[in-house]
Amino acid sequence: MDIRHDLHMHTSLSRCGEDWATPETYIDIARENGLSLIGFADHAWDTAVSPAINDFYKGQDMEAILHRTLPKEKGIRVLRGCEVEMDKNGFLGLSEEVAKQMDYILAVHSHSQHDAVIDDAIRRDVKKLAEILCTRFSLLVEHPLAKYITAIAHPFFPSGNRDNFDEVLFRIDDERLENLFADATYNKIAIEINAAAFDSYPVKAMHRSEMFRIYETAKECGCKFVFGTDCHDPDIYTQRLERLQILAELLEITEADLCPLVLK
């Protein structure tokens, strides 16, 4: 199956996005790569529910996302989304008022680089981190606003633990994953196949990783999927998309496995 969508692009509105990461730049790249649907999912914390949880999220608010004018291009559908955070107490930085105005929402449970999300002491203990990732996944899929969540972004990938994340994931057994993914499926929340989560692997070794096992289990549980490059720099976009294409083939993803949003 050829990938025709990407719902995880970061523009310069994200503090970690490059200055030249504009909607117009991504649209040009999407056209060059044969995509028909793209979505911008910049980091954001909804200050209508509480102040930003840390300095990273200050200035990354929903107002900028909602008031941005998105280009209209023939042959390419452009969606307005966001990547929403949950603090370490399970409080989601999203209001229902804003959720209703988004075309889609990616929710994340695994930003272990932020102390406001996962305590540093937990991040340094692989067993505790594996457990908290599972707990936080459950909190998202059972959240009162879960009906607005389109997909879980880079599920179980502790982005602050790039040096040992396979060791962390090894401690989440298949039965636990199956139960968690069954809950996501029941609540109609898709799983994002995220290219950035595989950056540390040679392309030929991706299928031997613990991260790949996560996605295999999700597919076996009947989860629906969306694709996301999680790109912050247009210069590496094509490389990320190529990885996604290989992952789609390895996982034997078909249109029947995709979230309805990307099939419209």
Side-chain angles (χ1 to χ4, degrees):
M1 184 194 75
D2 290 334
I3 294 176
R4 298 298 183 195
H5 76 270
D6 181 354
L7 292 189
H8 201 154
M9 294 175 168
H10 287 277
T11 73
S12 56
L13 281 185
S14 291
R15 293 184 67 174
C16 45
E18 298 292 346
D19 291 342
W20 56 88
T22 65
E24 291 78 10
T25 299
Y26 280 125
I27 286 172
D28 288 341
I29 293 173
R31 186 184 298 107
E32 292 169 3
N33 285 279
L35 300 183
S36 57
L37 169 63
I38 62 174
F40 300 115
D42 285 300
H43 296 289
W45 183 270
D46 192 346
T47 54
V49 296
S50 80
I53 56 174
N54 58 15
D55 288 343
F56 177 80
Y57 280 100
K58 286 181 179 178
Q60 293 189 148
D61 54 46
M62 296 297 184
E63 185 176 356
I65 292 174
L66 290 173
H67 288 88
R68 174 169 56 188
T69 300
L70 295 179
K72 294 182 179 180
E73 292 288 327
K74 185 176 181 180
I76 298 179
R77 187 167 150 230
V78 181
L79 299 184
R80 187 187 311 274
C82 60
E83 182 177 0
V84 297
E85 186 67 86
M86 182 172 59
D87 74 8
K88 59 186 170 186
N89 298 313
F91 187 82
L92 188 65
L94 177 70
S95 66
E96 187 164 15
E97 180 182 359
V98 166
K100 290 178 179 179
Q101 298 179 68
M102 294 292 177
D103 294 322
Y104 72 100
I105 291 170
L106 300 182
V108 60
H109 70 116
S110 56
H111 277 161
S112 56
Q113 71 269 35
H114 296 307
D115 285 349
V117 173
I118 294 176
D119 286 328
D120 187 60
I122 292 176
R123 185 182 71 80
R124 295 175 183 277
D125 184 319
V126 293
K127 292 182 179 180
K128 290 181 178 178
L129 181 54
E131 179 61 32
I132 201 68
L133 289 175
C134 295
T135 299
R136 290 172 62 78
F137 187 96
S138 288
L139 287 173
L140 275 183
V141 299
E142 296 172 4
H143 194 276
L145 296 181
K147 63 182 178 181
Y148 296 107
I149 298 174
T150 306
I152 305 294
H154 45 74
F156 298 99
F157 177 72
S159 47
N161 292 67
R162 290 180 179 272
D163 293 336
N164 67 344
F165 69 88
D166 254 356
E167 187 180 353
V168 175
L169 299 184
F170 177 75
R171 285 164 170 75
I172 307 175
D173 63 43
D174 289 345
E175 184 178 0
R176 185 75 179 275
L177 285 174
E178 288 166 5
N179 289 332
L180 292 169
F181 284 133
D183 289 343
T185 301
Y186 178 80
N187 286 291
K188 299 181 179 179
I189 297 176
I191 300 301
E192 180 203 42
I193 300 177
N194 182 290
F198 290 86
D199 277 350
S200 300
Y201 302 110
V203 170
K204 292 183 179 180
M206 292 193 298
H207 67 291
R208 295 196 295 269
S209 68
E210 287 295 316
M211 196 72 246
F212 190 80
R213 177 179 67 93
I214 298 292
Y215 286 113
E216 281 188 309
T217 306
K219 188 171 186 294
E220 291 169 1
C221 292
C223 290
K224 297 298 182 182
F225 296 97
V226 301
F227 290 107
T229 57
D230 200 353
C231 194
H232 298 68
D233 180 354
D235 287 346
I236 65 170
Y237 186 82
T238 300
Q239 174 187 334
R240 286 270 178 90
L241 188 61
E242 288 173 351
R243 278 186 179 259
L244 276 184
Q245 187 63 60
I246 293 169
L247 287 167
E249 293 167 4
L250 290 171
L251 290 164
E252 299 182 350
I253 301 294
T254 69
E255 283 197 356
D257 298 309
L258 298 181
C259 171
L261 174 71
V262 303
L263 297 174
K264 293 180 181 179

